[in-house]
Amino acid sequence: MQENMRLVLLSCCGPCSAGAIKQLVDGKIYGVDDFIVLFFNPNIFPETEYNKRRDEQIKYCEQVGAKYAVLEYDHETWRTAVQGFEAEPERGQRCALCFAYRFRRAVQFAHENGYNAIASVLGVSRHKDQSQVDNAARQACTDVLYLPIKWDENLRVQINREHNFYRQNYCGCEFSVRKI
């Protein structure tokens, strides 16, 4: 690991990120000098769903004393980024484009705010493929260090039980909503 590591943790929601955030707060992974949780999820639809997930993320960060930032919610620009791939299945090309879009913005945020490393919990959900997330991150993180997430799954499950987080049954975008 490099000295003076300042990490951006790209997060999709509280349930997926809680374990990693707690481990970072406690200094149990990566040995970073400073970190911030970045909530950048313009893929989430509808906006009411986005607001629920954002609010849960903020609430947890404040409870454990983690810094956080919330970036713009621009769903239309995100739709342009995945245009033509709306019919792709979960874990298909649409997801790869979505991850790449979000990582590029995370890299921009890192540069603007003096961070030199990025990790993510975008692949924690059972709806996603961690290797797809890692590939998108490596492509976007050409001039910041990408750290594949190392999380304690048991800790994440324990925290989720204790906090009774709002949980959703789809990844986030309107194309991933399951027919119930």
Side-chain angles (χ1 to χ4, degrees), residues 77-129:
T77 301
W78 172 84
R79 283 196 57 149
T80 299
V82 300
Q83 188 171 10
F85 296 90
E86 297 88 348
E88 284 281 309
E90 281 299 284
R91 300 179 178 170
Q93 186 61 27
R94 181 189 68 247
C95 295
L97 292 169
C98 176
F99 296 143
Y101 177 77
R102 291 155 69 195
F103 274 110
R104 285 191 302 272
R105 182 63 178 97
V107 168
Q108 179 185 355
F109 175 87
H111 286 296
E112 292 169 351
N113 293 280
Y115 290 89
N116 56 8
I118 293 178
S120 138
V121 294
L122 299 183
V124 172
S125 167
R126 68 182 183 276
H127 303 295
K128 296 299 167 205
D129 174 359

Side-chain angles (χ1 to χ4, degrees), residues 44-112:
I44 299 175
F45 184 85
E47 191 168 356
T48 54
E49 176 71 19
Y50 168 88
N51 291 336
K52 287 178 189 176
R53 295 186 197 194
R54 179 202 60 212
D55 294 349
E56 284 286 290
Q57 183 72 86
I58 290 170
K59 183 171 81 174
Y60 184 71
C61 286
E62 289 177 348
Q63 286 174 349
V64 298
K67 290 189 302 187
Y68 63 88
V70 177
L71 298 184
E72 65 279 357
Y73 177 74
D74 185 350
H75 189 68
E76 288 308 311
T77 301
W78 172 84
R79 283 196 57 149
T80 299
V82 300
Q83 188 171 10
F85 296 90
E86 297 88 348
E88 284 281 309
E90 281 299 284
R91 300 179 178 170
Q93 186 61 27
R94 181 189 68 247
C95 295
L97 292 169
C98 176
F99 296 143
Y101 177 77
R102 291 155 69 195
F103 274 110
R104 285 191 302 272
R105 182 63 178 97
V107 168
Q108 179 185 355
F109 175 87
H111 286 296
E112 292 169 351

